[in-house]
Structures are given as structure tokens and as C-alpha cells.
Amino acid sequence: MQPEPLVSDRLGLVPLRADHAREMAAVLSDPALHTYIGGSPSTPEALRARYERLVAGSPEPDRTWWNWVLRLRETGRLVGTVQATLAEEGRLAEIAWVVGTPWQGRGLATEAARTLVGGLREQGVRTVVAHIHPEHHASAAVAAAAGLAPTGQQQDGEVRWRLVTG
């Protein structure tokens, strides 16, 4: 199973390819972007190697990795990513999103997360989970706008958010 392209008003969610790495390295280059998500900016070469691993798929047979880049439809520029790790035969998805610093504050992460959740639900996903740093208020707002709610549980210092459908 491979991710399908998804479209929203301003964004195209394009299945990740290794050749997105050069442009995405620039999108993700602000060290401040990594405050809550961890790590540090990657070189285009390191990001390409990571993207090659992601595109190859999960080594765990009961997990599926779906990754998209966010393409701003107006300009064609890449502005971020969304991802979903599917488990429980596709009924559970753990999701995440990131939008590059220059494009933050425009509602793009919310639009991307809503589009992702809607696309996953169409694929039969029944439970959507996200893990958000308790001080990352912008990401919490994105999760809430996408229909997730905090569970009160924590994992690795992050709050577990959840949406259960049907």
C-alpha cells in the first residue's frame, strides 16, 4: 500500500520521494523549527538518505509508513511534510506534521492535518493519534482543529492526542 496524493484548497499533499530532499532541507533548515520535534537541520544528502529509508517502507511487517510533502499550490514550493504510521491492519494511524518557519502562522499545518485525517478516514483508519510536546501550543491547536483531543496520557514527554471515528 502506498499513500495517495491528497489535495486541499491551498496544498497538494504529494507522496514523498527521495528527490524532494534538496528542497526540503531548505524548508526544514531553521534550528528553531526543531525545538519541539527534536534533532537538528539535516544536510540535503542526509535528508535524501532518510527519505530513501522512509520510501522503502517500515522494516516492521505490521507497520506501514506513509509520508507526503506539502506543496503550496499557488507557487509550487514545498513548505512542509505530514506523515502517518499505520498499524492494526490500517485501522490505527499515528500522525505528525511540520511546516517550515517562513510558512507558519498561515493555517497551513491545520489545513494539511485536516486533509490528512480526512484522507486516512477514507482509507478505513478508525483511530488517529498524535504526540505533541506539552509546550507546543501551535501544534496542539492544529491537533484540535483536526478533531483530535488530548488523552491525558504522556509518552516520551509528549501528550498523546486521539481521534476515534466510527
Side-chain angles (χ1 to χ4, degrees), residues 79-152:
V79 298
T81 64
V82 292
Q83 64 188 50
T85 299
L86 284 81
E88 297 180 10
E89 298 177 351
R91 292 185 305 271
L92 169 71
E94 291 194 31
I95 65 171
W97 52 85
V98 63
V99 170
T101 305
W103 299 278
Q104 291 179 1
R106 302 179 191 183
L108 294 173
T110 296
E111 188 172 325
R114 284 179 173 159
T115 302
L116 175 61
V117 168
L120 292 170
R121 290 177 71 183
E122 287 178 9
Q123 293 292 320
V125 171
R126 296 291 170 244
T127 303
V128 179
V129 174
H131 296 93
I132 300 171
H133 190 284
E135 295 176 16
H136 198 331
H137 304 294
S139 200
V142 169
L148 285 77
T151 64

Side-chain angles (χ1 to χ4, degrees), residues 16-29 42-52 69 77-78 103:
L16 179 72
R17 298 186 320 261
D19 65 359
H20 289 129
R22 182 157 304 282
E23 187 173 356
M24 285 305 302
V27 170
L28 304 174
S29 66
S42 295
T43 65
E45 297 77 18
L47 198 55
R48 182 179 184 87
R50 180 171 186 263
Y51 285 0
E52 287 172 351
V69 291
R77 294 226 28 211
L78 299 183
W103 299 278

